[in-house]
Amino acid sequence: MKLRSHLILLAFGTIVPVAIFAAGAAAWLVDKERETVLAAAEQRSQTLLTALEAELRGHVAALEGLAAHPSLEDGDVPYFRRAIANAITSHRDWLNVSLILPDGRIAADGISADGVQPSKAALETVMRMKRSQIGAVALHPTLQKWQFPIYAPVVQAGTVRYVVAANVSTASIDELIGIQKLGDGWAAVVLDRDNHFVSRNWGSAKYVGTPAAQSLQDALREAPSGIFRGRTVEGIDVYSPYHRSKATGWAVAMGIPSKEIDDASNRTAWLLLSGVLLSISLAMAGAYVISRRIAMPLTSLAGAAEAIGQGQMTEIPQEAQVDEIRTLATVLQASARAAHEREDALRDADRAKDRFLAMLSHELRNPLASISAASHVLKVARPDSANAVKARLVIERQTRHMAHLINDLLDISRVTMGKMALDRERLDLADLVARVISVWRSSGRFERHEVALDLHKVWVHGDRVRLEQVVNNLLDNALKFTSIGRGIRVRVAQEEGEAVLQVADEGTGIPPALLAELFKPFVQGSEPGAHAAAGLGIGLSLVKGLVEMHGGMVSAANDEKRRGAVFTVRLPAVPAQAANDEPDSVVLGGRRILIIEDDDDTRSMLHAAFELGGHHVRNARDGTTGLAIAAESPPDVAIIDIGLPDMDGIEVARRLRAGPRSRRINLVALTGFGGSEDQRRALEAGFDVHLTKPVTQERLKRVIGDLK
């Protein structure tokens, strides 16, 4: 397919999604416009209903006041006739007022007895319920005016003695509709309890007293309020919001011609379609013009690229009018020169990958084989036998070795990507080295070597865990290349404002060709398999990264006298800390510890380890259970995994810090997420300490001991 076709497709592919989005946006806007208009109409209908209810309440209240006239208590009907006349005079919308006996006979009438006869059903309802009622719209036979009756009972001694009825003109309802600010073509109607028109702004006199449109009656039967699309009695298609009054049973409705709303939608759709067609046409024309300016130079450039691929030099096409095409030709020429170098680099990287994978396989298979064999011994040997004890030691040693291996892999990745954060404190480097040496001695790792120490106090501002990692890796490297019976020397001193750590071995030394590459990842002093503990070649690279993060430097050299290697770490020294300022690290027993961890094995082993340490331990496999346990009995320390099944550990920490009983709990994050951002989020959520898995029991005990 030619470039021109691609550009046309590109233009078309660009316009079509925009057109689809525009269509969707237009449809949304049309819907919102329709919703806005209908919401306004619904508000108008609600306003009309409120006004209607107020009007009817006024008539009812006035009639009930008349029904409480003192003359009725005395049965003075002639006097009440004068009260009726006054009421008709003072209420301009009252056509007549009647005093009706319980049997339906009219005892007194404001105009004549030839008016509207009271509804038997309405009278029965008033006497039964003993409260006012509003009747249906009807034509007054004498006055020939549309009216609706209102009935008010006169209750004496718990019995309805009379019913006062007022015939109210629908003109008052017409006025309510007339004062509404309705749009052009909008309809407004008021219906009585029987769904007959009381008032209507379209042909009001013609339709008063007749049933409402069937669609409106159906809607009122289904729900007391809502919006529907139906037809008026004239057959006009309308959107209609409606409401029925709970107090009176009357209803109001609005009618907005659907054509008024739908025409706006059609105009928007046609305008959008015209814009899309015009845009596509312009895009096609632009694609054609641009293709002519690009296709010809690219054809010439393709020939040049082929020549460059064959190792030939070529001139940049002079006819190119696009800067990027000329730049591309220049880059292609440079690529020809770099191709050979890249091929060599790729071959070197491939060899390094194979070397790393081979060594990783070797380093993992050996401890796995030992662990597998030790597990078999534990199955068949008695738990207290020497073989079982030896097998447990093997599992512990090999597990520690694998954890060290995985930690180094993870840490070198974090250092390389700049995601490792340091937890700095002022510490004595000599004391730190002495502690590491003591742990190595107690574990038996120095039993076949002589270790000489020359340690002098020197203070640095650093991360204790990471500096211990530096010392461990340097010692591990020294052991690898030092024969049994030979010595290792460790020195700590202050020189010219710097803290100096030296680890020297009596091994085979470092080949001169390797000195410049020694601190690069996966660089080793021997081929895989040549040494029993060759390692992965990442320990020294990690040392370099950690030392440089502390603002220091590390170097390696050969010791000509002892034929070994000397590794020197230099860190910025800080003033010595006063003895009474040095923090104490006390491991406290008998603490209440809560473990929230979803991995069953990890949770079980942590539980067992802390119980053996004399602590009272409870555990949970999810955040919800952990929160419930903490609420029931707040622990001293909560060790929380971040990746929990129901809610993450960050949320658990926030909820614990929010609770009045649990906000003083020491929170320790124990997680596989070890980046600086992960640490920041954990500390912001309320954790006191952030630890990255795997963590040794010694490290956990020290952390818990440091917590107050």
Side-chain angles (χ1 to χ4, degrees):
M1 185 182 294
K2 293 185 177 181
L3 175 63
R4 183 180 305 162
S5 301
H6 281 288
L7 289 174
I8 291 174
L9 285 177
L10 175 62
F12 189 76
T14 303
I15 293 296
V16 168
V18 174
I20 292 174
F21 173 78
W28 181 80
L29 288 173
V30 168
D31 288 341
K32 293 302 290 184
E33 181 181 357
R34 179 184 293 111
E35 290 175 4
T36 301
V37 173
L38 293 179
E42 197 278 338
Q43 182 63 40
R44 295 285 177 78
S45 65
Q46 183 66 54
T47 302
L48 178 58
L49 178 66
T50 302
L52 174 66
E53 289 180 332
E55 179 73 15
L56 294 177
R57 279 197 302 270
H59 289 306
V60 171
L63 190 64
E64 289 177 346
L66 183 62
H69 198 277
S71 61
L72 293 179
E73 293 183 6
D74 302 330
D76 190 352
V77 174
Y79 187 82
F80 185 69
R81 284 194 181 93
R82 289 195 294 272
I84 288 176
N86 292 333
I88 294 174
T89 301
S90 51
H91 294 84
R92 63 185 178 85
D93 294 320
W94 287 12
L95 302 179
N96 191 19
V97 176
S98 304
L99 181 65
I100 306 171
L101 297 173
D103 60 4
R105 290 180 298 119
I106 296 177
D109 195 293
I111 297 178
S112 69
D114 297 328
V116 178
Q117 294 300 312
S119 167
K120 183 178 180 181
L123 288 176
E124 290 177 353
T125 302
V126 171
M127 288 187 289
R128 182 179 71 256
M129 301 182 69
K130 297 180 182 178
R131 67 176 181 223
S132 301
Q133 295 289 321
I134 300 175
V137 66
L139 184 65
H140 195 288
T142 302
L143 302 176
Q144 290 298 300
K145 292 183 179 180
W146 288 102
Q147 55 83 45
F148 56 91
I150 300 177
Y151 302 99
V154 179
V155 181
Q156 297 177 358
T159 302
V160 178
R161 184 174 180 184
Y162 303 103
V163 175
V164 180
N167 301 108
V168 183
S169 172
T170 59
S172 61
I173 310 301
D174 294 338
E175 291 178 2
L176 290 180
I177 294 180
I179 63 176
Q180 303 300 313
K181 297 180 181 179
L182 302 178
D184 294 338
W186 286 28
V189 300
V190 175
L191 308 179
D192 64 11
R193 188 186 297 270
D194 297 331
N195 293 337
H196 287 181
F197 286 114
V198 177
S199 181
R200 189 172 187 266
N201 66 337
W202 285 2
S204 177
K206 177 180 178 182
Y207 291 105
V208 173
T210 63
Q214 189 60 46
S215 58
L216 178 56
Q217 294 190 56
D218 294 340
L220 286 166
R221 277 196 298 270
E222 292 179 3
S225 63
I227 299 177
F228 71 97
R229 183 169 180 171
R231 291 183 177 276
T232 66
V233 289
E234 295 92 350
I236 299 174
D237 192 29
V238 293
Y239 290 97
S240 182
Y242 65 92
H243 294 278
R244 186 183 289 280
S245 171
K246 293 181 180 179
T248 65
W250 285 31
V252 299
M254 294 285 179
I256 306 96
S258 57
K259 187 176 184 301
E260 179 180 328
I261 298 176
D262 296 339
D263 284 352
S265 304
N266 294 334
R267 286 193 300 272
T268 302
W270 278 110
L271 181 61
L272 175 65
L273 179 59
S274 300
V276 170
L277 292 176
L278 179 61
S279 300
I280 292 176
S281 300
L282 293 175
M284 298 302 104
Y288 178 80
V289 173
I290 294 173
S291 68
R292 289 183 58 84
R293 300 188 63 183
I294 297 177
M296 293 179 64
L298 280 182
T299 301
S300 300
L301 193 57
E306 184 177 359
I308 291 174
Q310 296 173 358
Q312 303 174 8
M313 298 302 293
T314 184
E315 295 294 331
I316 299 174
Q318 296 299 316
E319 66 274 13
Q321 300 178 3
V322 181
D323 292 342
E324 285 79 0
I325 294 179
R326 290 195 295 269
T327 302
L328 177 59
T330 304
V331 171
L332 285 174
Q333 288 179 324
S335 298
R337 291 190 294 268
H340 183 69
E341 298 175 4
R342 286 200 303 271
E343 289 178 1
D344 290 343
L346 287 173
R347 282 193 293 269
D348 291 342
D350 191 57
R351 285 194 295 270
K353 179 198 68 176
D354 292 341
R355 180 187 182 93
F356 168 71
L357 291 177
M359 186 52 66
L360 179 61
S361 174
H362 174 269
E363 288 294 313
L364 290 178
R365 289 180 185 275
N366 281 345
L368 285 174
S370 300
I371 292 172
S372 177
S375 299
H376 177 73
V377 171
L378 289 176
K379 288 182 180 178
V380 299
R382 296 195 316 273
D384 57 346
S385 66
N387 286 333
V389 173
K390 185 176 181 180
R392 284 193 290 271
L393 291 175
V394 167
I395 291 176
E396 180 180 354
R397 186 165 56 253
Q398 296 301 330
T399 301
R400 186 168 57 247
H401 173 67
M402 291 183 69
H404 176 74
L405 183 70
I406 293 171
N407 274 336
D408 280 356
L409 282 170
L410 293 175
D411 288 342
I412 193 64
S413 173
R414 295 190 190 105
V415 170
T416 302
M417 293 187 293
K419 293 187 175 181
M420 177 173 286
L422 297 180
D423 185 11
R424 291 177 180 264
E425 60 179 300
R426 191 162 55 165
L427 53 88
D428 180 4
L429 184 60
D431 179 68
L432 181 145
V433 172
R435 289 171 182 261
V436 174
I437 296 291
S438 175
V439 172
W440 279 55
R441 287 188 190 280
S442 63
S443 66
R445 298 192 66 182
F446 287 148
E447 61 184 7
R448 298 183 179 183
H449 298 81
E450 295 181 2
V451 180
L453 302 179
D454 182 15
L455 307 180
H456 303 273
K457 283 186 175 295
V458 55
W459 294 83
V460 296
H461 187 233
D463 187 315
R464 181 180 297 275
V465 174
R466 298 308 174 187
L467 291 179
E468 287 179 355
Q469 201 169 359
V470 169
V471 177
N472 277 304
N473 281 351
L474 291 177
L475 291 174
D476 187 62
N477 183 76
L479 281 182
K480 287 179 184 177
F481 298 99
T482 303
S483 301
I484 296 174
R486 305 288 291 175
I488 296 173
R489 303 183 311 282
V490 181
R491 174 175 171 266
V492 175
Q494 182 168 342
E495 296 178 359
E496 299 179 354
E498 291 182 323
V500 178
L501 163 65
Q502 283 187 331
V503 178
D505 61 61
E506 297 180 358
T508 58
I510 304 170
L514 192 62
L515 277 173
E517 308 290 326
L518 192 61
F519 292 101
K520 292 183 178 181
F522 314 126
V523 173
Q524 300 162 307
S526 60
E527 294 295 327
H531 196 284
L536 293 178
I538 60 175
L540 294 180
S541 177
L542 182 58
V543 167
K544 181 176 184 293
L546 292 175
V547 170
E548 290 179 349
M549 288 181 67
H550 283 80
M553 59 178 296
V554 60
S555 61
N558 284 315
D559 188 342
E560 299 297 337
K561 293 182 179 180
R562 295 180 173 84
R563 297 180 55 235
V566 180
F567 289 85
T568 303
V569 173
R570 295 182 179 274
L571 298 171
V574 298
Q577 179 169 282
N580 58 355
D581 292 336
E582 185 173 352
D584 296 328
S585 178
V586 181
V587 179
L588 302 176
R591 286 198 169 190
R592 295 170 298 173
I593 297 178
L594 171 61
I595 301 170
I596 306 177
E597 166 66 60
D598 63 327
D599 184 80
D600 295 337
D601 292 338
T602 302
R603 188 175 66 254
S604 175
M605 290 300 97
L606 287 174
H607 187 117
F610 284 126
E611 275 197 340
L612 291 173
H615 300 288
H616 176 69
V617 186
R618 301 183 71 181
N619 56 61
R621 71 178 313 275
D622 54 58
T624 303
T625 306
L627 290 171
I629 293 174
E632 175 188 342
S633 177
D636 300 315
V637 181
I639 300 175
I640 305 170
D641 184 18
I642 298 298
L644 295 172
D646 54 347
M647 68 181 76
D648 63 17
I650 299 295
E651 180 62 23
V652 174
R654 289 196 182 103
R655 296 192 184 185
L656 286 174
R657 287 295 183 232
R661 298 186 60 198
S662 55
R663 64 182 54 169
R664 296 180 60 84
I665 299 174
N666 291 295
L667 303 182
V668 178
L670 184 59
T671 173
F673 303 101
S676 58
E677 178 64 18
D678 301 312
Q679 184 177 13
R680 183 191 64 78
R681 290 181 63 240
L683 296 179
E684 286 181 354
F687 281 103
D688 300 290
V689 182
H690 179 276
L691 300 177
T692 305
K693 296 178 181 178
V695 181
T696 63
Q697 285 299 317
E698 290 76 12
R699 171 69 171 149
L700 270 177
K701 290 178 182 177
R702 186 163 61 249
V703 167
I704 291 177
D706 290 340
L707 294 173
K708 302 302 181 184

